[in-house]
Amino acid sequence: MRYFVQLSFKGTGYHGWQEQSNASDTIQEICKAALAKVLNHPVKLAGAGRTDTGVHAEVFFAHFDSPIETLSDEKEKWLHKFNSVTPFTIAFQNILKVKPDAHARFDAFSRTYRYDIYIRKNPFLYNNALFFPYPLDIDKMNKACATLKKYKDFSSFKKTHSNNKTDTCTIKTANWEMQGDKLSFTITADRFLRNMVRAIVGTMLNVGNGKYTHADFCKIIEGKNRSHAGASVAACGLYLTSIEYPPEIFIP
């Protein structure tokens, strides 16, 4: 049987999701070991994508195969077992039975990220958001959000030397919202380039503080040159909050 597991994790202290030959302490490595230990068989675990070092996920999916047919039918029992052998910073939230060819990465048709900023010093948000106590024009930043949806090529915001097959993404929604002392940027797209959200946020902060005009923002996107965009903001404020799949891949 093939299963999707839904996870959440705090990325602080981890080298992102994906296993790497030159880095230990990845989310994938820890989750794969936990599944294998509980299920008592080797596990190949494929995630919905890679998250960078320090990035968090409120929602993340991965798939694996197992001869055990009761994992989703007795999910509470199995979730308790999985969570008993993982750190408190990683939590298994759900087990879903899917079709044999379902893929956590390639079947996803949209992903949503949120970036949190706090404008007044708050010890409880330290390492969970970016501290940015400077004036910002939110209206100008939301005007830039509307402009984002008019473009498809986001080379200007990708990680330097990335080997993407394409730099094209379709942004469905993007907006800034202030709630109390916390400012959040939310963006949904069919796919994202490496480092894209953090580079967009860094560039938009320059729009909000007056360093860049709206025309500058457009030129940065059209120039397709990473060095012209703003600096990437810290990973601590970035959260993967949603991944959407076609309902037909799930088995009731």
Side-chain angles (χ1 to χ4, degrees):
M1 299 298 303
R2 175 157 293 188
Y3 295 96
F4 273 21
V5 282
Q6 181 181 332
L7 305 157
S8 57
F9 55 82
K10 184 174 182 178
T12 307
Y14 295 106
H15 288 92
W17 161 263
Q18 191 161 316
E19 270 188 299
Q20 302 165 50
S21 59
N22 61 345
S24 57
D25 292 335
T26 64
I27 309 294
Q28 183 181 27
E29 180 181 22
I30 291 169
C31 290
K32 189 171 74 170
L35 290 169
K37 182 175 182 179
V38 171
L39 299 174
N40 200 31
H41 66 71
V43 170
K44 291 183 178 180
L45 188 63
R50 56 187 304 166
T51 59
D52 289 337
T53 297
V55 173
H56 318 293
E58 293 178 353
V59 175
F60 190 89
F61 288 93
H63 76 257
F64 68 97
D65 296 331
S66 175
I68 303 172
E69 298 183 0
T70 60
L71 296 185
S72 60
D73 298 329
E74 301 175 347
K75 68 175 65 178
E76 292 305 321
K77 178 185 79 172
W78 290 104
L79 288 172
H80 175 75
K81 289 184 176 182
F82 297 154
N83 284 321
S84 68
V85 294
T86 48
F88 277 98
T89 47
I90 301 173
F92 286 84
Q93 305 285 9
N94 203 358
I95 307 170
L96 301 161
K97 191 179 292 185
V98 294
K99 293 182 177 179
D101 60 347
H103 198 288
R105 178 184 174 189
F106 298 124
D107 283 330
F109 62 79
S110 81
R111 294 167 174 82
T112 300
Y113 283 92
R114 186 185 76 247
Y115 195 89
D116 289 342
I117 294 171
Y118 60 113
I119 61 173
R120 192 183 303 274
K121 190 175 181 181
N122 184 334
F124 300 105
L125 291 177
Y126 177 70
N127 265 347
N128 294 322
L130 175 71
F131 182 45
F132 195 87
Y134 309 106
L136 290 168
D137 189 322
I138 309 302
D139 290 338
K140 288 182 179 178
M141 293 160 73
N142 273 322
K143 183 180 178 181
C145 285
T147 298
L148 273 179
K149 293 185 283 185
K150 299 177 182 179
Y151 291 93
K152 296 292 185 181
D153 189 313
F154 295 98
S155 308
S156 301
F157 302 124
K158 71 177 181 179
K159 186 178 178 68
T160 306
H161 306 306
S162 297
N163 56 348
N164 306 305
K165 291 182 179 179
T166 174
D167 296 325
T168 300
C169 308
T170 300
I171 294 179
K172 301 177 181 180
T173 62
N175 73 285
W176 287 91
E177 184 178 10
M178 179 72 80
Q179 293 182 328
D181 291 333
K182 189 168 78 169
L183 175 63
S184 294
F185 172 66
T186 304
I187 184 168
T188 300
D190 62 339
R191 62 188 294 270
F192 290 91
L193 309 178
R194 285 199 67 190
N195 205 50
M196 176 175 163
V197 179
R198 291 162 58 195
I200 288 175
V201 171
T203 306
M204 284 195 176
L205 289 178
N206 286 338
V207 172
N209 66 18
K211 183 177 179 180
Y212 296 157
T213 65
H214 187 77
D216 292 333
F217 184 73
C218 295
K219 287 178 182 177
I220 287 169
I221 299 174
E222 293 164 6
K224 302 178 184 179
N225 188 326
R226 177 66 186 91
S227 65
H228 294 164
S232 294
V233 287
C236 64
L238 185 59
Y239 296 77
L240 176 59
T241 62
S242 177
I243 306 174
E244 292 188 277
Y245 295 95
E248 58 267 22
I249 72 170
F250 297 97
I251 298 176

